[in-house]
Amino acid sequence: MNENQPNTLTPEYFNHVYQANRDPWNFETSPYEQGKYAATLAALPRPYYAEVFELGCSLGVLTAQLAPRCGHLLAVDVSEAALAQARARCAALPQVETKLMRVPEEFPPQQFDLILLSEVGYYWSSADLARAADQLLAALNPGGQLLLVHWTPPVHDYPLTGDDVHQFFLDKTSPSGSLRHLTGQRHETYRLDLLERI
């Protein structure tokens, strides 16, 4: 990663995307997305997490699937258009709280047992990824888990690749870091890594 990369993508970028198409990445209908959601949920080793933080919840498709395993699930996004759909989708799930939030400029005050960073990290600049990583690790309870899931092919608009994001966090694993790597999977166009706070 170098510091000459593009800036973090703005909320305006995502608002334009959702104005042009209510489901721009086919989260609701794509067999690829459904398979990835299934792999994401299957990678979580615990049946229940008391406090969960999902960054970039978008339309709330994965949020609704994750919710039954959560005591409280804070799902955030930078796009109000996306959040409106997430709120409607999760309206019957009282454990789900949706909030407009731009990390790392804003960050929730509570501690979490699980943080899900799925298809978000490559939207940050290198500097914002570093800031966000510090916030995420500080917000994880000891033994708390961080699940990373990202598309790996380069995308012209995105400051980073999925591999950049995952490697940044993997560099923080033991023996000297604050994280332990529990499991990793590499699929044709995405990868998944589960980390745990030591």
Side-chain angles (χ1 to χ4, degrees):
M1 295 185 297
N2 68 70
E3 295 305 321
N4 296 321
Q5 290 165 326
N7 293 328
T8 294
L9 298 185
T10 65
E12 291 72 27
Y13 173 93
F14 294 99
N15 285 328
H16 287 307
V17 168
Y18 286 108
Q19 284 164 6
N21 183 340
R22 66 172 294 278
D23 185 5
W25 289 279
N26 300 312
F27 293 136
E28 296 174 330
T29 58
S30 161
Y32 162 79
E33 292 294 343
Q34 299 311 313
K36 187 180 65 178
Y37 295 155
T40 298
L41 296 170
L44 295 172
R46 300 175 193 163
Y48 176 84
Y49 295 84
E51 286 288 340
V52 180
F53 183 30
E54 181 190 5
L55 287 85
C57 67
S58 185
L59 314 181
V61 179
L62 180 57
T63 312
Q65 296 179 38
L66 178 61
R69 296 172 65 176
C70 306
H72 174 247
L73 170 53
L74 174 61
V76 306
D77 203 277
V78 299
S79 169
E80 184 55 55
L83 277 174
Q85 294 188 61
R87 286 190 194 103
R89 188 181 311 279
C90 298
L93 300 168
Q95 69 271 51
V96 175
E97 175 188 1
T98 57
K99 189 173 286 189
L100 189 68
M101 183 177 290
R102 184 180 184 184
V103 176
E105 289 82 359
E106 304 166 280
F107 201 86
Q110 63 261 51
Q111 296 292 114
F112 298 99
D113 304 299
L114 171 66
I115 296 176
L116 177 59
L117 185 68
S118 177
E119 311 293 9
V120 173
Y122 42 57
Y123 296 137
W124 286 320
S125 65
S126 297
D128 279 347
L129 173 62
R131 286 175 61 202
D134 287 344
Q135 292 170 331
L136 294 172
L137 298 189
L140 268 181
N141 285 318
Q145 295 174 347
L146 172 65
L147 182 58
L148 309 170
V149 187
H150 287 88
W151 175 263
T152 47
V155 179
H156 174 71
D157 284 352
Y158 300 172
L160 300 172
T161 67
D163 284 322
D164 291 333
V165 174
H166 286 235
Q167 192 57 52
F168 186 86
F169 283 97
L170 289 170
D171 287 345
K172 296 179 177 295
T173 57
S174 54
S176 58
S178 58
L179 291 171
R180 169 188 304 119
H181 188 220
L182 297 183
T183 186
Q185 302 172 21
R186 182 174 283 277
H187 298 262
E188 184 178 353
T189 54
Y190 75 94
R191 64 182 294 183
L192 181 155
D193 284 286
L194 181 66
L195 305 163
E196 186 173 84
R197 177 75 188 271
I198 296 171

